[in-house]
């Protein structure tokens, strides 16, 4: 990466190194995020396949999908307390360093060939990812001179490219080793990736803004004691409860999965209700929150379908797809590289397209983009019906069917996800400005927990009926937002 560093012509000393014209610390955070995403997406690509493999945990597809969905939902659910730790306890820099260690230990636990350590590892990776997710983005922002720094948006664009570079490479490396050589060696490679990211982060911290060491709103001594006491009480209650279920012989995996999925649906409702009922909000802020709930529910439906690309579609590919190109067979996990490479290819095209339409005064509104994303993700599952119907009586569906589904879902993501992030920041009440990004992540949690509950209930998510139902739900939600766009626009107030 040294070749990417250039001399900053704007530097007064003429010797300060930059990263593509941005602060040198961006290289540190770019590489940290790249390696963390490499470890995360590599493990995630292997996860459902390992769970159903005869030489893995040999679970049924419904249980594998439930575990996968609960795991992904936890990562996003824990982003909120992760941000809280950065704001109140350790500060962003220390929180990211601790997160890297926790993630690395989690992947090492996954590499051990026992079921108990495997689930401990999943929990540790989810906790570490939650701690890292919010705080590393905060540190990127701290590299610049406030929100009006003209380099800021470009810096975040480069940073998010690191996510997709890591996500693209991970299935090709970790997936290949895990599927073709040894599952646990694949998980060990994920640990090695996080270790590389952690080492270069610690070596490069001198290039970060000093504010990343500061705890913005440190807990008082009384708050720290109270928080610790409450945390210990809840941990003790949970420990006693699960010890009793194990000792009495009634424990099953659902004793873990069901509470998490239910919590993943209840917590977003409670958080939104608490913000909506806050009497300190102005009438305009109350209206915007009412409008935001429309977007939140629609986003939950979107992520419910979209995130099945790593579970439902992967399991289908493993059992019912002809995973070959020109007669050459490739690992199933490679499908998970399709989305990030398409993101890298199409994101600049979309950005230029919206800009061109804007110059002509024809750029679609936020509501139209959002509804289009929902319709498109629904269309991807209508498209999924074709390979499902082909793969009967021993036939295999062509790999390009799955590539086409991932393509449509990527277009849907580029239409909806950036808009969702933008509208979240624009419609956030001033009092909750720093918390609303965590609220947006809760839409992912709610969507994945819905998938998890369906799987726990024994629903075959690779069945044509349930696939068609989900597709119809997404299209209907998109159509509803479009039909009621006047009402939603009115609730949005001055946000356009």
């Amino acid at each position: 990466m040294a070749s990417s560093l250039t001399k900053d012509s704007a530097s007064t000393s003429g010797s300060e190194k930059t990263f593509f014209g941005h602060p040198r610390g961006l290289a540190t955070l770019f590489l940290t995020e790249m390696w963390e995403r490499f470890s995360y997406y590599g493990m995630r690509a292997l996860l459902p396949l390992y769970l159903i493999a005869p030489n893995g945990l040999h679970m049924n597809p419904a249980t594998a999908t439930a575990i996968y969905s609960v795991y992904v939902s936890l990562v996003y659910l824990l982003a909120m307390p992760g941000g809280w730790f950065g704001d109140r306890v350790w500060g962003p820099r220390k929180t990211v360093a601790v997160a890297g260690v926790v993630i690395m230990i989690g992947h090492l636990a996954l590499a051990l060939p026992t079921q108990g350590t495997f689930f401990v590892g999943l929990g540790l990776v989810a906790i570490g990812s939650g701690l890292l997710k919010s705080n590393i983005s905060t540190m990127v922002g701290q590299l610049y001179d406030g929100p009006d720094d003209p380099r800021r948006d470009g810096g975040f664009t480069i940073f998010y490219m690191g996510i997709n570079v890591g996500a693209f490479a991970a299935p090709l490396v970790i997936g290949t080793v895990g599927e073709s050589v040894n599952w646990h060696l694949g998980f060990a490679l994920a640990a090695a990736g996080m270790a590389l990211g952690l080492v270069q982060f610690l070596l490069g911290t001198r290039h970060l803004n000093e504010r990343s060491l500061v705890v913005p709103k440190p807990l008082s001594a009384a708050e720290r004691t109270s928080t610790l006491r409450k945390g210990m009480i809840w941990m003790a209650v949970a420990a006693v409860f699960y010890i009793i279920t194990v000792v009495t012989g009634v424990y099953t995996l659902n004793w873990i999965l069901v509470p998490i999925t239910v919590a993943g649906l209840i917590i977003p409702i409670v958080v939104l209700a608490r913000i909506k009922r806050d009497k300190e909000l102005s009438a305009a802020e109350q209206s915007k929150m009412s409008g935001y709930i429309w977007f939140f529910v629609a986003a939950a439906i979107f992520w419910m379908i979209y995130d099945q690309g790593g579970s439902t579609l992967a399991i289908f590919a493993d059992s019912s797809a002809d995973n070959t190109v020109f007669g050459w067979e490739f690992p199933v996990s490679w499908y998970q590289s399709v989305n990030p490479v398409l993101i890298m290819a199409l994101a600049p095209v979309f950005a230029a397209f919206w800009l061109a339409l804007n110059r002509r005064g024809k750029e679609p509104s936020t509501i139209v983009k959002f509804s289009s994303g929902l319709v498109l993700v629904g269309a991807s599952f209508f498209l999924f019906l074709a390979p499902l119907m082909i793969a009967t009586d021993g036939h295999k569906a062509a790999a390009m069917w799955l590539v086409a589904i991932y393509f449509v879902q990527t277009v849907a993501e580029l239409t909806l996800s950036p808009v969702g992030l933008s509208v979240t920041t624009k419609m956030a009440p001033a009092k909750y400005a720093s918390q609303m990004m965590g609220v947006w992540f809760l839409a992912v949690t709610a969507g994945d927990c819905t998938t998890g509950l369906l799987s726990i209930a024994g629903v075959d998510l690779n069945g044509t009926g349930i696939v068609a139902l989900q597709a119809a739900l997404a299209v209907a939600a998109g159509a509803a937002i479009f039909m009621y766009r006047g009402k939603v626009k009115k609730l949005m107030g001055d946000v356009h």
Side-chain angles (χ1 to χ4, degrees), residues 159-182:
F159 174 72
Y160 286 123
M161 286 298 288
I163 294 175
N164 287 293
V165 170
F168 168 69
L172 303 180
V173 179
I174 295 173
T176 302
V177 171
E179 284 190 69
S180 306
V181 182
N182 181 275

Side-chain angles (χ1 to χ4, degrees), residues 49-60 67 113-116 118-119 183-184:
L49 305 176
Y50 172 71
L51 292 173
I52 63 174
N55 62 340
L57 295 186
H58 206 190
M59 296 179 173
N60 63 61
I67 292 171
T114 66
Q115 185 168 318
F118 180 81
F119 287 110
W183 296 109
H184 298 287

Side-chain angles (χ1 to χ4, degrees), residues 249-334:
V250 299
Y251 175 80
T252 66
L253 194 56
N254 282 349
W255 283 99
I256 293 286
L257 297 179
V258 173
I260 293 175
T261 51
V262 171
L265 292 172
I266 292 176
I267 290 173
I269 295 171
V270 171
V271 170
L272 285 171
R274 180 173 62 85
I275 296 174
K276 183 73 178 68
R277 295 173 62 185
D278 191 334
K279 290 182 170 54
E280 293 183 13
L281 301 187
S282 66
E285 289 176 326
Q286 287 279 1
S287 178
K288 288 177 183 177
M289 281 306 301
S290 296
Y292 184 75
I293 290 171
W294 282 72
F295 292 107
F296 185 92
V297 173
I301 295 172
F302 176 89
W303 295 114
M304 177 185 71
I305 293 176
Y306 179 89
D307 276 347
Q308 289 183 59
S311 55
T312 304
L313 289 177
I315 291 171
F316 172 83
D318 186 56
S319 63
S320 305
D322 178 17
N323 304 309
T324 60
V325 176
F326 302 118
W328 175 73
E329 186 173 1
F330 58 88
V332 175
S333 54
W334 283 24

